[in-house]
C-alpha cells in the first residue's frame, strides 16, 4: 500500500453543487471534517453553507476557480485538509491533478494517476480492456497508419465509426456508412481531434446500431480486491447528456450481469484500480455487450445503485482511499427492488431543450417514502450560464419497476418550481410512454423516436378520464360533492364544490 492511501480526518471537496453536498454528507456520517471552495457566483451556494469551513477561490468562470489546481492545493494547506475529493467533472479525471495531490502529500480520493491515464486514452483503454478479457467492438490496432486504417476498415465492413483516442463521452466521433466516405471521415475526425484535444490520433470500430448504454459500478480497495454493484441503464440521453437512469436494467439478465461484472472486476484488478469506477458497455439486442470506456470517478447517477444495493458509495470510496479492505465478497452483493433517477434540468423540452436561466424564485421539493432528492439549489438561487443546468436529481425506489415509476410520477407532481423552465414535463411524458414502460428504447430513442408533441393530448385524455370519474363519484353513493379542477402539472386535484 502506498503512502497515498491512509486515514484522514479532514477533506477538501474540490467541487460544487449537489455532488459537493452529497460528498460532505458522507463525510459527516463518518465524522470527517469538510472544507468547501467557492467561486464568486457560488458565495451563497448550499455546498458553502453545508461545509465546516469554506474558502473563496476566484471568479465565476470555472477556469478561474474550480479548475485551478494551485488554488485548491493552497486551500488544502491553509485549512489543514489531509485529502481531496474531486467529485465529477472539473478535475475528477485529470491524472496530473491526482499526481499533484500526491506530490503535496494529500490523499486523492480516486484511483492512482496511472489508472486515470490508461483509461483517459480511449485506444489504450480498449487494448487494456481486451487484454483483461473484456469484449471489445471489432476495430483497428493502435499505431495504424492511414493506409492500414483504410485497409482494416474495408475488412471490418460498414457501417464504421471513427473515434478520437483523446475523445470520450461522444466527442470526436464520425459514422462512416460506405467505403467512399472513409478517407475523408478519417481526415475530418483527425482535424477535429487535433483542434479539440491537441491529439489527432484516431481509430476505427464497427458501428453498433440500436445499442443500449449499460454501465457496471465497480468498487476496489487498495489491496487488490474488486467487486461490482451491478448495472445502470443509461440509454435515455440526448446529445450525450443522460436524462433518466435506472437500476437494474430491464434488458439485463442475472447471467449477463454476472458476466459483465466479472470482466469489469478483472479490468479493475489489471490496472490496480482503487475506489469507485464505472465501465460503460454498449449492449446489442441479443444481449452481447462491448466495452466502450471507463469512467474513473464517482458518477452523477450513482444513487440508483445505492438504493438498489443498500450501499453508500461515497463512504465506500472514502474508506477505500483510507486503505480499508472491502467489506464484501461478491456473492454477498445482491440487488433488491428498482430505482429510477430523473435529472431535473433548467431547460425547455418544448423548445429543443433550450437552457433556461434566471432566479429560482420558489422551490418545493418532493419527499416521502421511497423518494430521494439530491440538490444544490434553494429558493432565490440564480441559475447562471457558468455551470451545468441540473437543478436537482430525483431518485425514487420501489419493490418493482412499476412501483418505482409510480413513485417517480407522484414525486414529479410534488415539485413546485417557479422562475425557470424545467424539463419535468419531459420526465412525466417519458414515464407514461408505452415504449419506456416496456423497455423498448436504446441510446437513440430520445433524439429519434420521442416527441413532446403528444404531451398535451395525453394530458387531455387524463383530464377527460378524471372528469368522467368525478361525475360518477358525484352521482354514486358516497358522493362527497367534489369536482376536479386542472392544475398546471396536468394532474387532477380535488376542490370543494358548493358549500364547504
Ligand atoms: C459507439 C457507438 C456505436 N458503435 N461505438 C458514445 C460515447 C462514447 N462513450 C462512445 N459512444 C458510442 N460508441 C461503436 N462502435 C455508439 C456510441 C454512442 C453512445 C454510447 C452510449 C450512450 C449514448 C450514445 C449516443 C450516441 C452514440
Amino acid at each position: 500500500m502506498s503512502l497515498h492511501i491512509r486515514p484522514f480526518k479532514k477533506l477538501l471537496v474540490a467541487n460544487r453543487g449537489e455532488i459537493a453536498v452529497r460528498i460532505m454528507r458522507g463525510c459527516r456520517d463518518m465524522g470527517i471534517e469538510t472544507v468547501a471552495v467557492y467561486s464568486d457566483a457560488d458565495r451563497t451556494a448550499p455546498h458553502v453553507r453545508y461545509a465546516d469551513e469554506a474558502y473563496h477561490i476566484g471568479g465565476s468562470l470555472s477556469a478561474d476557480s474550480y479548475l485551478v489546481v494551485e488554488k485548491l492545493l493552497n486551500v488544502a494547506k491553509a485549512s489543514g485538509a489531509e485529502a481531496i475529493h474531486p467529485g465529477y467533472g472539473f478535475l475528477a479525471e485529470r491524472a496530473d491533478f491526482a499526481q499533484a495531490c500526491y506530490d503535496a502529500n494529500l490523499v486523492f480520493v480516486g484511483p492512482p494517476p496511472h489508472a486515470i491515464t490508461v483509461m483517459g486514452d480511449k485506444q489504450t483503454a480498449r487494448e487494456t480492456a481486451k487484454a483483461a478479457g473484456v469484449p471489445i467492438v471489432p476495430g483497428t490496432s493502435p499505431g495504424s497508419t492511414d493506409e492500414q486504417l483504410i485497409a482494416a476498415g474495408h475488412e471490418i465492413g460498414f457501417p464504421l465509426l471513427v473515434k478520437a483516442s483523446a475523445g470520450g463521452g461522444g466527442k470526436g466521433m464520425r459514422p462512416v456508412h460506405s467505403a467512399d466516405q472513409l478517407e475523408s471521415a478519417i481526415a475530418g475526425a483527425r482535424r477535429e481531434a487535433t483542434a479539440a484535444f491537441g491529439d489527432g490520433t484516431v481509430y476505427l470500430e464497427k458501428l453498433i446500431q440500436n445499442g443500449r448504454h449499460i454501465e457496471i459500478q465497480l468498487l476496489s480497495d487498495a489491496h487488490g480486491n474488486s467487486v461490482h454493484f451491478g448495472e445502470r441503464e443509461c440509454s435515455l440521453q440526448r446529445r450525450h447528456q443522460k436524462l433518466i437512469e435506472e437500476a437494474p436494467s430491464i434488458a439485463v439478465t442475472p447471467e449477463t450481469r454476472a458476466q459483465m461484472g466479472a470482466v469489469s472486476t478483472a479490468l479493475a484488478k489489471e490496472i490496480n484500480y482503487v475506489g469507485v469506477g464505472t465501465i460503460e458497455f454498449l449492449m446489442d439486442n441479443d444481449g452481447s455487450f462491448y466495452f466502450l470506456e471507463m469512467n474513473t470517478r464517482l458518477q452523477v447517477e450513482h444513487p440508483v445503485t445505492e438504493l438498489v444495493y443498500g450501499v453508500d458509495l461515497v463512504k465506500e470510496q472514502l474508506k477505500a482511499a483510507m486503505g480499508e479492505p472491502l467489506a464484501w465478497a461478491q456473492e454477498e452483493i445482491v440487488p433488491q427492488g428498482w430505482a429510477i433517477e430523473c435529472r431535473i434540468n433548467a431547460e425547455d423540452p418544448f423548445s429543443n431543450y433550450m437552457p433556461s436561466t434566471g432566479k429560482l424564485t420558489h422551490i418545493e421539493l418532493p419527499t416521502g417514502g421511497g423518494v430521494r432528492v439530491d440538490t444544490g439549489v434553494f429558493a432565490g438561487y440564480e441559475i447562471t450560464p457558468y455551470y451545468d443546468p441540473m437543478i436537482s436529481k430525483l431518485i425514487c425506489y420501489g419493490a418493482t419497476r412499476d412501483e418505482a415509476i409510480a413513485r417517480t410520477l407522484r414525486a414529479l407532481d410534488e415539485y413546485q418550481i417557479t422562475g425557470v423552465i424545467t424539463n419535468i414535463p419531459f420526465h412525466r411524458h417519458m414515464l407514461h410512454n408505452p415504449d419506456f414502460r416496456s423497455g423498448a428504447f436504446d441510446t437513440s430513442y430520445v433524439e429519434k423516436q420521442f416527441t413532446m408533441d403528444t404531451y398535451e393530448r395525453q394530458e387531455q385524455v387524463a383530464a377527460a378520464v378524471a372528469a368522467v370519474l368525478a361525475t360518477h363519484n358525484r352521482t354514486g353513493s358516497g358522493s362527497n360533492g367534489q369536482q376536479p379542477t386542472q392544475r398546471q402539472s396536468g394532474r387532477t386535484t380535488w376542490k370543494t364544490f358548493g358549500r364547504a
Side-chain angles (χ1 to χ4, degrees):
M1 185 159 58
S2 81
L3 282 174
H4 312 304
I5 301 274
R6 56 184 145 79
F8 48 87
K9 293 203 176 74
K10 191 168 187 176
L11 176 100
L12 167 67
V13 180
N15 214 298
R16 63 176 303 285
E18 67 87 18
I19 197 64
V21 175
R22 166 70 190 91
I23 293 160
M24 290 178 200
R25 284 188 166 128
C27 289
R28 201 149 287 170
D29 286 348
M30 294 174 75
I32 299 167
E33 281 185 81
T34 57
V35 180
V37 289
Y38 62 96
S39 68
D40 285 346
D42 279 339
R43 280 180 191 284
T44 62
H47 76 280
V48 176
R49 300 180 189 188
Y50 197 93
D52 296 317
E53 287 169 50
Y55 292 77
H56 179 251
I57 51 164
S60 300
L61 289 175
S62 299
D64 297 329
S65 46
Y66 300 108
L67 289 172
V68 186
V69 172
E70 204 183 304
K71 290 184 179 184
L72 297 166
L73 296 179
N74 287 341
V75 171
K77 197 168 178 193
S79 64
E82 303 149 279
I84 296 195
H85 193 307
Y88 55 65
F90 298 121
L91 300 168
E93 292 179 274
R94 288 255 306 266
D96 57 339
F97 179 58
Q99 187 62 51
C101 290
Y102 286 181
D103 294 344
N105 195 28
L106 295 161
V107 174
F108 176 75
V109 182
H114 177 72
I116 302 177
T117 302
V118 167
M119 290 300 149
D121 183 280
K122 301 310 158 192
Q123 211 169 177
T124 310
R126 182 180 142 83
E127 296 304 315
T128 308
K130 184 183 174 187
V134 186
I136 59 171
V137 185
T140 55
S141 307
S144 299
T145 62
D146 276 19
E147 289 69 36
Q148 288 168 324
L149 286 181
I150 290 161
H154 281 92
E155 225 164 273
I156 296 162
F158 298 90
L160 288 167
L161 195 58
V162 188
K163 292 186 171 186
S165 289
K171 278 173 280 178
M173 300 195 314
R174 281 191 182 209
V176 187
H177 292 280
S178 58
D180 57 303
Q181 305 170 336
L182 183 54
E183 239 181 291
S184 70
I186 292 171
R190 172 158 302 146
R191 241 183 322 194
E192 236 171 71
T194 306
F197 317 114
D199 175 0
T201 313
V202 299
Y203 61 106
L204 306 181
E205 277 185 358
K206 188 170 183 58
L207 176 68
I208 307 287
Q209 295 180 98
N210 312 316
R212 304 175 85 106
H213 175 152
I214 307 287
E215 57 186 35
I216 294 286
Q217 178 66 56
L218 286 169
L219 173 66
S220 305
D221 66 19
H223 312 278
N225 307 302
S226 284
V227 291
H228 71 87
F229 291 88
E231 79 283 5
R232 293 184 286 262
E233 161 72 70
C234 304
S235 299
L236 293 175
Q237 55 88 44
R238 185 182 167 274
R239 300 190 177 177
H240 303 291
Q241 293 299 313
K242 294 167 187 160
L243 289 162
I244 298 176
E245 304 99 340
E246 52 184 314
S249 166
I250 195 165
V252 174
T253 63
E255 293 72 32
T256 302
R257 176 174 309 127
Q259 285 172 15
M260 288 177 128
V263 297
S264 298
T265 52
L267 177 53
K269 286 177 195 172
E270 187 68 34
I271 59 172
N272 297 316
Y273 201 79
V274 179
V276 302
T278 300
I279 315 278
E280 292 184 8
F281 293 98
L282 207 50
M283 202 175 96
D284 249 340
N285 300 327
D286 65 359
S288 48
F289 56 87
Y290 308 93
F291 174 84
L292 276 184
E293 39 194 86
M294 179 170 189
N295 300 317
T296 55
R297 60 167 193 273
L298 180 69
Q299 291 198 256
V300 176
E301 59 271 26
H302 76 276
V304 293
T305 301
E306 294 192 317
L307 297 189
V308 168
Y309 285 88
V311 62
D312 183 328
L313 289 170
V314 169
K315 277 171 77 171
E316 296 310 324
Q317 188 180 28
L318 294 169
K319 288 198 269 181
M322 291 184 180
E324 285 192 31
L326 285 185
W328 301 268
Q330 186 62 54
E331 314 82 71
E332 299 170 311
I333 301 175
V334 180
Q336 193 174 356
W338 213 282
I340 299 175
E341 173 176 279
C342 294
R343 298 193 189 187
I344 312 297
N345 297 334
E347 61 188 22
D348 185 356
F350 296 103
S351 294
N352 202 29
Y353 301 82
M354 187 156 69
S356 170
T357 55
K359 188 173 280 219
L360 233 162
T361 50
H362 178 77
I363 182 163
E364 271 177 65
L365 298 169
T367 178
V371 174
R372 166 172 168 182
V373 176
D374 281 15
T375 182
V377 304
F378 55 92
Y381 183 88
E382 182 95 14
I383 310 277
T384 66
Y386 293 113
Y387 309 113
D388 87 58
M390 195 168 71
I391 297 172
S392 168
K393 302 191 303 205
L394 170 66
I395 313 105
C396 294
Y397 179 82
T400 62
R401 188 166 185 263
D402 281 348
E403 192 176 289
I405 292 172
R407 280 217 169 110
T408 305
L409 285 165
R410 182 261 289 176
L412 286 167
D413 284 346
E414 289 182 19
Y415 271 101
Q416 302 283 334
I417 299 176
T418 58
V420 293
I421 297 167
T422 78
N423 65 349
I424 287 173
F426 165 87
H427 291 297
R428 299 186 68 246
H429 200 40
M430 184 61 85
L431 267 72
H432 282 298
N433 183 327
D435 291 336
F436 175 75
R437 296 279 181 141
S438 69
F441 54 85
D442 60 31
T443 59
S444 67
Y445 189 82
V446 176
E447 281 164 86
K448 300 245 170 77
Q449 280 164 271
F450 184 76
T451 173
M452 291 302 291
D453 293 351
T454 47
Y455 184 73
E456 239 7 274
R457 214 188 79 76
Q458 177 215 305
E459 292 303 297
Q460 281 161 9
V461 170
V465 169
V468 169
L469 288 174
T471 309
H472 175 81
N473 285 347
R474 269 203 301 282
T475 52
S477 63
S479 161
N480 61 4
Q482 291 182 326
Q483 77 168 16
T485 58
Q486 195 72 16
R487 264 201 327 192
Q488 193 198 353
S489 68
R491 274 291 297 263
T492 305
T493 59
W494 295 91
K495 232 184 192 175
T496 304
F497 179 67
R499 63 193 168 79

